[in-house]
Short mmCIF file of all heavy atoms in Angstrom, two decimals:
data_model
loop_
_atom_site.label_atom_id
_atom_site.label_comp_id
_atom_site.label_asym_id
_atom_site.label_seq_id
_atom_site.Cartn_x
_atom_site.Cartn_y
_atom_site.Cartn_z
N TYR S 54 77.70 -177.79 -90.33
CA TYR S 54 78.24 -177.17 -89.11
C TYR S 54 78.70 -178.25 -88.14
O TYR S 54 78.28 -179.40 -88.25
CB TYR S 54 77.17 -176.29 -88.44
CG TYR S 54 76.70 -175.20 -89.36
CD1 TYR S 54 75.57 -175.38 -90.15
CD2 TYR S 54 77.43 -174.03 -89.50
CE1 TYR S 54 75.16 -174.40 -91.05
CE2 TYR S 54 77.03 -173.04 -90.38
CZ TYR S 54 75.90 -173.23 -91.16
OH TYR S 54 75.52 -172.27 -92.05
N VAL S 134 62.70 -178.97 -100.11
CA VAL S 134 61.80 -179.99 -99.57
C VAL S 134 60.80 -179.33 -98.61
O VAL S 134 59.61 -179.38 -98.82
CB VAL S 134 62.59 -181.11 -98.84
CG1 VAL S 134 61.63 -182.14 -98.26
CG2 VAL S 134 63.57 -181.79 -99.81
N SER S 179 74.06 -165.53 -90.09
CA SER S 179 72.96 -164.62 -89.74
C SER S 179 73.37 -163.72 -88.58
O SER S 179 72.92 -162.57 -88.50
CB SER S 179 71.70 -165.41 -89.39
OG SER S 179 71.96 -166.32 -88.35
N LEU S 182 75.09 -160.74 -90.38
CA LEU S 182 74.27 -159.89 -91.23
C LEU S 182 73.09 -159.25 -90.48
O LEU S 182 72.63 -158.17 -90.84
CB LEU S 182 73.76 -160.68 -92.44
CG LEU S 182 74.67 -160.67 -93.69
CD1 LEU S 182 74.60 -159.33 -94.40
CD2 LEU S 182 76.12 -160.99 -93.38
N ALA S 188 72.67 -152.01 -88.07
CA ALA S 188 73.52 -150.81 -88.22
C ALA S 188 73.06 -149.95 -89.39
O ALA S 188 72.96 -148.73 -89.26
CB ALA S 188 74.98 -151.22 -88.39
N SER S 241 63.05 -160.84 -84.07
CA SER S 241 61.86 -161.21 -84.86
C SER S 241 60.83 -160.08 -84.83
O SER S 241 60.94 -159.15 -84.02
CB SER S 241 61.25 -162.49 -84.28
OG SER S 241 61.25 -162.44 -82.87
N THR S 253 60.92 -156.72 -78.86
CA THR S 253 61.53 -156.86 -80.18
C THR S 253 62.35 -155.60 -80.46
O THR S 253 62.12 -154.55 -79.85
CB THR S 253 60.45 -156.99 -81.27
OG1 THR S 253 59.71 -155.77 -81.34
CG2 THR S 253 59.51 -158.16 -80.99
N ALA S 255 62.12 -153.98 -83.18
CA ALA S 255 61.18 -153.07 -83.85
C ALA S 255 60.36 -152.25 -82.85
O ALA S 255 60.14 -151.06 -83.06
CB ALA S 255 60.25 -153.87 -84.76
N ASN S 268 66.03 -172.89 -90.56
CA ASN S 268 66.57 -174.11 -91.16
C ASN S 268 65.56 -174.65 -92.15
O ASN S 268 64.35 -174.48 -91.97
CB ASN S 268 66.79 -175.21 -90.11
CG ASN S 268 68.00 -174.95 -89.24
OD1 ASN S 268 67.88 -174.84 -88.04
ND2 ASN S 268 69.17 -174.84 -89.85
N VAL S 331 73.84 -156.99 -97.71
CA VAL S 331 75.27 -157.08 -98.03
C VAL S 331 75.69 -155.84 -98.82
O VAL S 331 76.71 -155.22 -98.54
CB VAL S 331 75.58 -158.37 -98.83
CG1 VAL S 331 76.98 -158.34 -99.43
CG2 VAL S 331 75.42 -159.59 -97.93
#
Side-chain angles (χ1 to χ4, degrees):
Y54 301 94
V134 179
S179 56
L182 271 286
S241 42
T253 65
N268 285 120
V331 168

